[in-house]
Amino acid sequence: FVGITTVSGGTNITHLEDSVFSGNSIKTISDMVNLQKIDFLAFGWNRLKQLDLPHVTEIDSNAFWYNDLTQLNLPRVSKIGDNAFGGNKLMRIKLPANVRLDANTFSSQFITPNVTANKDGEVSFDAIKPQLKIGDVDQIKKIANIDVLSETDITVDNDKLVGVTGTDPINLNLKIDLE
């Protein structure tokens, strides 16, 4: 399937198996109204930017590994595996209250926030923190770790990122506190 840019239709499809659309240039998924389960690396290494899958209930590990996802809405998902959304650019995540996550579900988010450092090269940490909603409640406190891993010399000082220069993405490694 190399070279596919859109996945659409498939009203009879309920399950996508391992690596089925992996390594393409897929930018959109639409009209997958009966899709419920997405297996390992099914959409790995594509170019998806937003994901709204209203009927999906289970997503296996690495299913959306290394895309360009910035927004995620999965209102019926009950289980998301390890690194399912690793290597993306997620800033807005909306999930149902009963979802089971792995601690590394959202690891290595390469975000490029639309912020400007002050004259001292500082950016408030609040300006780049992601939004994690489970049900209707903001769960930012469940994010136990946000490690700033970047090519540039960025350090954290008093809840500010210091030494922010250029437009290089800031790599955030998110760890979810499941307790």
Side-chain angles (χ1 to χ4, degrees):
F1 296 130
V2 175
I4 294 173
T5 59
T6 302
V7 174
S8 180
T11 56
N12 294 325
I13 297 172
T14 60
H15 179 201
L16 292 175
E17 296 185 4
D18 290 359
S19 304
V20 67
F21 292 112
S22 186
N24 281 283
S25 298
I26 298 170
K27 293 181 181 179
T28 57
I29 300 172
S30 62
D31 301 324
M32 301 293 284
V33 295
N34 291 314
L35 183 60
Q36 295 175 10
K37 186 171 191 289
I38 301 172
D39 283 351
F40 177 78
L41 281 174
F43 288 98
W45 296 289
N46 278 286
R47 294 192 179 140
L48 292 164
K49 292 186 184 281
Q50 295 182 17
L51 197 57
D52 187 2
L53 295 172
H55 302 287
V56 170
T57 58
E58 188 172 341
I59 298 174
D60 282 351
S61 61
N62 300 85
F64 291 92
W65 183 253
Y66 282 89
N67 275 270
D68 293 325
L69 289 167
T70 60
Q71 295 182 36
L72 183 60
N73 184 28
L74 300 166
R76 292 195 180 141
V77 72
S78 59
K79 181 178 183 263
I80 303 177
D82 190 39
N83 290 310
F85 293 98
N88 281 283
K89 302 173 181 181
L90 286 168
M91 285 299 288
R92 288 186 179 36
I93 303 165
K94 184 155 175 57
L95 304 170
N98 65 338
V99 68
R100 286 189 346 245
L101 301 174
D102 182 86
N104 294 311
T105 295
F106 302 109
S107 65
S108 298
Q109 299 301 310
F110 299 93
I111 65 161
T112 306
N114 189 14
V115 296
T116 305
N118 67 18
K119 65 180 175 61
D120 297 322
E122 298 173 343
V123 172
S124 165
F125 190 67
D126 285 340
I128 67 157
K129 77 179 177 191
Q131 178 188 63
L132 173 60
K133 279 197 171 184
I134 297 179
D136 291 329
V137 180
D138 190 354
Q139 299 289 320
I140 193 65
K141 291 180 182 177
K142 284 195 179 251
I143 298 177
N145 260 12
I146 299 179
D147 297 326
V148 179
L149 312 166
S150 184
E151 298 291 322
T152 59
D153 293 329
I154 295 176
T155 57
V156 178
D157 182 29
N158 292 326
D159 293 325
K160 292 181 185 160
L161 300 180
V162 180
V164 179
T165 58
T167 58
D168 290 338
I170 298 170
N171 180 356
L172 300 180
N173 191 26
L174 306 181
K175 296 273 188 193
I176 310 294
D177 183 358
L178 300 176
E179 294 181 28

